[in-house]
Amino acid sequence: MSDSLELGGFVAPEPAALAPLFPGYEIQGLIATGGMGAVYCAVQKSLDRTVALKILPMELSSDAAFCAGFEAEAKAMARLNHPNLIGVYDFGEVAGMLYIIMEFVPGQSIYHSAYGLAIDQQEVARLVTGICHGLAHAHENGIIHRDIKPSNILLDLNAQPKIGDFGLARPIERKVEEGEEIFGTPHYTAPEVVNNPHSVDYRADIFSVGVLLHELLTGKLPASDPRPASTIIHCDSRFDTIVRRATQPLPAARYSSAQEIAHDLQVIAASLVSKTPRTAAAAAPRHVQPLRSHPVARARKSSGTPMVLFLLATVAAIAGYAIYAMSQPAKTGPAQVGTPAAVPDISKNKGASSEVEPDPEPEADLTPKPNPDDLSSADVTPPPAADEMPEPPAVVEPKSDVAGFFARARKIMQDRTKPTVTVYRSDLRANLSGFERSLKRQTRKMKSGGVEMDKVVEKTIAGWMSEGGRIPEDLAASLSGIPEVRGIYDDAVQKQTGLDDTFQQELSKQSATYILGLEKHIERLKPENDIGAVDLIEKEIEQTRQTKDYFSGLMLGAP
């Protein structure tokens, strides 16, 4: 909780402004802030206890459904009491802001301590065992976390893991709220969270633990390197069995409880200690070299060691002298061995010797000159020099898989809007079919050429039907010979416009849900300091809000 990331959408109040609202606490400073709230370090005066105070934006307190869910989650979390879970002490509302008071953990997250690093296998077993104990306690009390990942696991000053950020946690019996179904971090999230979010249970957390275990062992996500962990870093192969079982696509095939994973990890840890007795591993994660699959042969002692040292010293002296000589500026005169010969400056010796050749004639300048009478050539501005070119803006690459998140979020929203899209497409085709019938009624009234025109109508309508059932903005020239075709066309286009407006209105609520999910995902990226991902998601939000047809295009399957 010691790292912060300033994000847009919410301005954190100054500690001095909050002090009158929380008279029982001494607010010492801001820890972190984001679009969905701010966290402060405070001291509870009555108990002289350091706590973390989180406040939420005022907009959320005006949402009755959100307030009810917030209260239910806070009460459920307050019932949890476990050394591997961050405790919840109090919650409420003050000055239109929801707040929650939690245990303060002064350490960093596993993400900040070991991102991209492989951790000693005994240390991994210890950390993940503690995480599983905490999850088991939460599951026994009916709480699903739903977003287990390194940035949500804090390490206290004794390097004990504590599960935090229960922002996505919810009681098992509570239904999924608006925007929640696109939660979850890509690659850590169980398949059912995406495919059937209303059926998610505690086994989704078990899937995430399996991913986390593989990542801590190897420094890589299974999605990046699906090989077994023992193949990548030569750890105990029993870890592979745990990862494989925990990350089964079907929930029923996974471990039946987090406690069961903890038991298997403890068995591995005990055997590792008995095989390699040594002092306890360092508590903090560290970078370790992969264990070798074969023992390394030791070199035998030799009586020729002094001679070897002498030769090495001689080679080092020669190399040092060569480096020194090459670093000196070149001098005129006789060329030195091992250095490039100096090039004499003959410009100072003209006429001093008959052996010196005269300067060559300058080559003709063949560069085209601008014609004063030709304005097009006279106005050409030469390109700026390379050192005058402006520096392109720096692009911060995202750390997380933003493309994967967008694909998953859009798929979920497409599933939600599928009934609306189906009705809309059906109405468009019905309107086009009615337009065709009206045209054919007119072709039958034609005294000549009616049969041929009938075929033209069928061919034209079939083409439009294959392209989505929409009537083009311009009347096809091939239909202009039909009597009263302009009036029939205008009526059909007007009806189509009404269908478009209705469709956009139906999608407006879903569009708001999509934006809400994106905003909440930005909040969840805060501990990871993923500026590149935040920028991409903010651009997606802006385009969804400002471009009328953007969201509808996504829902209709447009690229």
Side-chain angles (χ1 to χ4, degrees):
M1 298 173 66
S2 60
D3 296 274
S4 65
L5 170 64
E6 295 289 341
L7 300 177
F10 174 73
V11 178
E14 293 294 330
L18 291 177
L21 305 178
F22 296 91
Y25 297 86
E26 179 184 340
I27 303 176
Q28 297 184 331
L30 180 66
I31 299 175
T33 182
M36 293 293 293
V39 180
Y40 300 81
C41 177
V43 175
Q44 188 176 3
K45 298 177 182 179
S46 59
L47 298 177
D48 193 22
R49 173 173 65 178
T50 302
V51 298
L53 167 64
K54 181 174 183 178
I55 63 170
L56 279 64
M58 292 186 178
E59 294 80 13
L60 296 178
S61 63
S62 60
D63 186 333
F66 182 89
C67 290
F70 177 80
E71 180 177 355
E73 291 166 10
K75 288 181 177 179
M77 291 161 58
R79 293 197 301 268
L80 304 180
N81 183 18
H82 193 276
N84 295 118
L85 299 177
I86 293 179
V88 173
Y89 302 145
D90 195 9
F91 79 97
E93 180 180 355
V94 60
M97 296 182 297
L98 296 170
Y99 71 87
I100 187 168
I101 296 174
M102 304 171 289
E103 175 187 0
F104 176 76
V105 180
Q108 290 187 325
S109 69
I110 291 180
Y111 176 89
H112 290 94
S113 301
Y115 175 73
L117 303 179
I119 306 176
D120 179 83
Q121 56 183 338
Q122 289 182 252
E123 185 71 357
V124 171
R126 181 188 70 82
L127 290 171
V128 180
T129 296
I131 293 168
C132 288
H133 285 324
L135 273 180
H137 181 74
H139 294 166
E140 289 168 1
N141 286 271
I143 297 293
I144 312 169
H145 189 281
R146 298 203 305 153
D147 198 26
I148 294 296
K149 59 181 179 179
S151 61
N152 286 339
I153 311 297
L154 301 183
L155 297 175
D156 64 16
L157 297 181
N158 296 317
Q160 295 301 315
K162 284 182 172 288
I163 303 174
D165 196 359
F166 276 79
L168 304 186
R170 62 182 177 87
I172 294 177
E173 67 275 7
R174 189 170 73 80
K175 295 182 179 180
V176 177
E177 299 294 341
E178 292 295 321
E180 287 186 345
E181 61 272 44
I182 66 174
F183 280 177
T185 304
H187 305 317
Y188 296 95
T189 305
E192 65 269 18
V193 175
V194 177
N195 301 325
N196 191 10
H198 295 276
S199 67
V200 172
D201 60 19
Y202 65 90
R203 290 171 294 190
D205 287 344
I206 289 177
F207 182 96
S208 301
V209 168
V211 176
L212 177 67
L213 176 59
H214 182 281
E215 183 181 16
L216 294 182
L217 286 168
T218 66
K220 303 176 181 179
L221 285 165
S224 302
D225 192 341
R227 293 178 299 164
S230 62
T231 302
I232 300 173
I233 55 110
H234 306 297
C235 63
D236 194 299
S237 61
R238 288 174 292 179
F239 285 114
D240 302 336
T241 304
I242 297 177
V243 172
R244 185 166 53 250
R245 184 177 173 188
T247 57
Q248 287 292 316
L250 295 178
R254 298 173 199 154
Y255 279 94
S256 60
S257 69
Q259 196 64 48
E260 195 175 349
I261 301 179
H263 174 268
D264 286 356
L265 288 171
Q266 287 172 321
V267 171
I268 297 176
S271 66
L272 291 175
V273 172
S274 63
K275 288 180 181 178
T276 56
R278 55 187 175 87
T279 57
R286 63 187 185 281
H287 187 275
V288 296
Q289 296 295 330
L291 302 178
R292 296 182 182 271
S293 56
H294 302 286
V296 180
R298 296 181 179 272
R300 295 181 179 179
K301 294 184 178 179
S302 171
S303 59
T305 301
M307 178 60 68
V308 173
L309 294 176
F310 172 79
L311 292 176
L312 290 175
T314 303
V315 172
I318 294 174
Y321 174 78
I323 294 174
Y324 169 79
M326 294 178 67
S327 65
Q328 301 305 307
K331 299 180 180 179
T332 59
Q336 302 296 320
V337 177
T339 62
V343 179
D345 185 2
I346 63 174
S347 62
K348 298 180 181 179
N349 301 322
K350 289 183 180 180
S353 172
S354 60
E355 295 180 357
V356 178
E357 296 181 0
D359 290 335
E361 290 292 330
E363 295 181 2
D365 186 3
L366 302 180
T367 305
K369 301 296 190 296
N371 185 355
D373 298 329
D374 185 356
L375 294 180
S376 61
S377 63
D379 291 340
V380 173
T381 302
D387 56 353
E388 297 178 359
M389 294 293 289
E391 289 289 336
V395 177
V396 180
E397 292 295 329
K399 299 177 184 178
S400 59
D401 182 8
V402 180
F405 167 71
F406 281 154
R408 184 169 58 85
R410 292 166 183 171
K411 173 63 169 58
I412 292 172
M413 296 309 301
Q414 286 171 351
D415 291 341
R416 285 177 59 100
T417 60
K418 186 176 182 179
T420 302
V421 170
T422 300
V423 170
Y424 172 64
R425 285 176 169 161
S426 177
D427 289 343
L428 287 178
R429 287 183 169 85
N431 182 52
L432 183 55
S433 297
F435 178 57
E436 180 181 17
R437 289 193 297 270
S438 298
L439 292 180
K440 287 186 174 182
R441 280 196 295 268
Q442 293 302 111
T443 59
R444 286 194 291 269
K445 297 178 182 180
M446 297 176 63
K447 295 181 179 180
S448 62
V451 176
E452 291 76 9
M453 186 58 70
D454 224 30
K455 294 179 180 179
V456 172
V457 170
E458 290 178 356
K459 182 178 180 180
T460 303
I461 299 300
W464 294 349
M465 194 70 76
S466 66
E467 296 174 356
R470 293 190 61 82
I471 301 173
E473 295 181 359
D474 297 323
L475 176 63
S478 59
L479 303 178
S480 59
I482 301 175
E484 302 180 10
V485 65
R486 173 54 64 179
I488 298 172
Y489 169 80
D490 290 343
D491 290 344
V493 170
Q494 184 177 0
K495 185 175 181 180
Q496 180 174 270
T497 301
L499 295 176
D500 292 343
D501 292 341
T502 301
F503 179 60
Q504 293 290 351
Q505 291 175 5
E506 291 290 333
L507 286 186
S508 61
K509 182 179 179 180
Q510 304 297 345
S511 174
T513 298
Y514 180 62
I515 291 174
L516 177 62
L518 297 178
E519 290 174 337
K520 291 184 176 180
H521 191 63
I522 287 178
E523 167 66 13
R524 292 175 44 255
L525 290 172
K526 173 179 59 178
E528 295 155 5
N529 198 31
D530 196 345
I531 303 296
V534 169
D535 182 60
L536 291 176
I537 297 174
E538 286 179 341
K539 289 179 180 177
E540 177 78 358
I541 292 173
E542 181 180 3
Q543 190 165 11
T544 304
R545 282 176 171 160
Q546 297 185 0
T547 306
K548 177 183 177 183
D549 298 329
Y550 179 71
F551 182 74
S552 61
L554 294 178
M555 297 304 99
L556 291 169

